[in-house]
Amino acid sequence: MIKIEKSICHCGKCGKEFEVKWDVDYVSSYERSMGEEYEYEGEDTFYCPNCDNEIQGKLSIYEYPVGCFYYEQITDVEDSFDTKQSYFKEPMVAFFDL
């Protein structure tokens, strides 16, 4: 099971920072030397509560070996005003068994 904490989104239009919650889905797996590597991905759109700027991004999370956080990245960040200044801070991620 994967747990993703809220992350911070910075609006490139007005400078407001606000919390966002990501949802990800399993995408694929790859066989590696220490077992499987799992890839999770989520694309979402968030709206600045101050100026209604629409900010989009894609979160990719990798689990390797199974049960261990490997790395994450946020890519494809765009906003409706094309400021090229909006960004997301990467959330804390943890893997655990039920």
Side-chain angles (χ1 to χ4, degrees), residues 61-73:
I61 298 172
Y62 299 86
E63 174 185 9
Y64 176 73
V66 173
C68 296
F69 172 76
Y70 185 42
Y71 75 96
E72 66 185 312
Q73 62 183 3

Side-chain angles (χ1 to χ4, degrees), residues 9-11 18 44-46 53-56 78-79 86 88:
C9 178
H10 174 88
C11 177
F18 56 97
D44 215 330
T45 301
F46 305 98
N53 188 9
E54 182 179 299
I55 305 165
Q56 302 171 348
E78 297 178 354
D79 66 46
S86 294
F88 297 93

Side-chain angles (χ1 to χ4, degrees), residues 36-97:
E36 294 285 325
E37 175 181 348
Y38 294 109
E39 179 181 3
Y40 305 88
E41 191 173 274
E43 293 185 56
D44 215 330
T45 301
F46 305 98
Y47 296 88
C48 176
N50 194 50
C51 69
D52 289 327
N53 188 9
E54 182 179 299
I55 305 165
Q56 302 171 348
K58 179 169 76 172
L59 172 65
S60 300
I61 298 172
Y62 299 86
E63 174 185 9
Y64 176 73
V66 173
C68 296
F69 172 76
Y70 185 42
Y71 75 96
E72 66 185 312
Q73 62 183 3
I74 297 176
T75 58
D76 302 335
V77 178
E78 297 178 354
D79 66 46
S80 57
F81 291 92
D82 198 28
T83 66
K84 303 206 184 326
Q85 300 296 314
S86 294
Y87 62 87
F88 297 93
K89 295 179 182 175
E90 294 176 344
M92 295 292 295
V93 176
F95 293 93
F96 58 93
D97 292 329

